[in-house]
Amino acid sequence: MKKLFLVGFSFFAMNAMAQNINFGLKAGLVFNADKGAVKAFNGVIEEKGKGSVGYQGGAMVRIKAGGLYVQPELLYTAFKNEFEDGGETIDVKKSRLDIPVNVGKTFAMGLVQVQTGPVFSLNFEDTIDSDGINFPDADDRDKISLGWQIGTGVNIKNLNVDLRYEFGLGKTVSKYVISEFGEFQTENRSNMLNLSVGYFF
């Protein structure tokens, strides 16, 4: 009898836990407002660049507990900074793996959400495109960076529309040695507005 009770309780607990865990996929746009900087050993080539629109996509998990939820995600993110030097356009393209972990709460019968939390970024590619000419990946870079997100969103059944502002807690530096430009480094700090659409299964 005792064993039967334990089996029944375990089944009930697992079923309750499963109801509070939702897996999903998401994709969207990132609006990179960071101007960045390109710095050579002889000074600054272009202190103020301009940001652009990038994209991200990946998977997410929402775990509900005690009226709150925790939502870790795994996202591929790509964006760039644009610079001009001597009439040439230089695009510094960056790719990274983002791991945001947001804590949030829903209101209005689950329709509206607010959230905040850290985002850990694994920076794995920094390439340069100068007027259609692609140069190799950075020789060295800050492989890990840390930011913070705050945002809101709406939930319509299994559909989730999410808007977040992300700011970096430090600069990310990449170093290059290219014969055409010499030795230099790029700097950027996350300053992004992320708009995504997701679906929980």
Side-chain angles (χ1 to χ4, degrees):
M1 185 69 180
K2 186 176 181 181
K3 290 182 179 180
L4 185 61
F5 174 77
L6 290 175
V7 170
F9 179 78
S10 299
F11 179 78
F12 174 79
M14 290 175 64
N15 185 57
M17 184 177 295
Q19 291 180 351
N20 290 325
I21 300 177
N22 299 103
F23 297 88
L25 299 175
K26 67 183 300 184
L29 300 176
V30 296
F31 302 89
N32 173 34
D34 177 61
K35 296 181 177 180
V38 177
K39 295 187 177 182
F41 285 114
N42 60 352
V44 176
I45 298 174
E46 178 62 63
E47 183 68 36
K48 294 181 179 180
K50 60 180 180 179
S52 64
V53 178
Y55 61 91
Q56 66 180 190
M60 57 184 175
V61 180
R62 179 171 289 190
I63 306 166
K64 303 172 187 176
L68 300 174
Y69 67 82
V70 179
Q71 187 166 313
E73 300 171 351
L74 187 63
L75 305 171
Y76 173 82
T77 303
F79 61 96
K80 68 179 180 179
N81 290 105
E82 299 177 356
F83 300 88
E84 289 188 6
D85 179 45
E88 293 186 357
T89 300
I90 301 173
D91 293 336
V92 180
K93 301 177 181 180
K94 297 182 178 291
S95 300
R96 67 189 196 188
L97 191 65
D98 287 342
I99 309 173
V101 182
N102 276 261
V103 177
K105 183 172 179 59
T106 58
F107 302 90
M109 295 183 294
L111 181 65
V112 181
Q113 68 188 40
V114 292
Q115 65 215 356
T116 188
V119 53
F120 305 91
S121 298
L122 306 178
N123 307 298
F124 61 85
E125 187 176 45
D126 299 81
T127 59
I128 293 178
D129 185 326
S130 177
D131 284 345
I133 302 175
N134 294 307
F135 294 96
D137 191 13
D139 296 276
D140 191 20
R141 72 173 64 84
D142 292 333
K143 294 179 174 58
I144 300 175
S145 55
L146 178 64
W148 196 270
Q149 295 182 339
I150 182 169
T152 185
V154 294
N155 302 284
I156 305 172
K157 293 187 177 180
N158 292 353
L159 187 69
N160 173 252
V161 180
D162 195 287
L163 179 65
R164 301 177 188 175
Y165 173 68
E166 176 185 327
F167 57 91
L169 299 180
K171 291 183 178 179
T172 302
V173 177
S174 298
K175 298 180 180 180
Y176 303 80
V177 180
I178 300 176
S179 58
E180 289 86 347
F181 299 129
E183 297 183 26
F184 65 97
Q185 67 183 35
T186 63
E187 298 178 359
N188 78 287
R189 184 193 299 267
S190 292
N191 183 12
M192 296 183 179
L193 194 63
N194 303 341
L195 176 63
S196 64
V197 176
Y199 187 84
F200 288 105
F201 299 100

